Amino acid sequence: IHVGDGRAFWRRTPSSFDFVILDAFQGAALPEHLLSVEALRELRERTHRGGIVLVHAIARSEGAAAAAIWCTLGAVFE
């Protein structure tokens, strides 16, 4: 478990992971620096092939924010 800036953590750690929970959300604010294509590609490099990345986001399932997150995740992860 790491508490702090996730992107700074995965940039400096030499470790890779089978399972990642990205839970960095408070209220309605989405940390855009963790959800960009570039950031998620960095995270993908730290995730084993076949590993799972779970993103906890507070957004309406039919809303634009959820659609954008889904689209970005789909562009980065198979």
Side-chain angles (χ1 to χ4, degrees):
I1 295 175
H2 173 76
V3 177
D5 185 324
R7 193 169 184 186
F9 172 74
W10 69 63
R11 281 182 168 174
R12 73 174 179 266
T13 185
S15 301
S16 56
F17 306 94
D18 292 318
F19 188 76
V20 175
I21 300 172
L22 182 56
D23 183 8
F25 307 95
Q26 286 185 297
L30 296 172
E32 296 175 9
H33 75 289
L34 294 176
L35 296 172
S36 68
V37 168
E38 295 80 11
L40 292 172
R41 283 182 180 151
E42 292 172 5
L43 181 56
R44 182 187 64 202
E45 295 302 315
R46 296 286 178 244
T47 306
H48 293 142
R49 184 165 181 81
I52 296 171
V53 173
L54 181 135
V55 176
H56 172 229
I58 299 172
R60 294 175 57 143
S61 60
E62 69 279 356
I69 293 168
W70 184 253
C71 182
T72 304
L73 287 167
V76 174
F77 294 95
E78 298 173 6

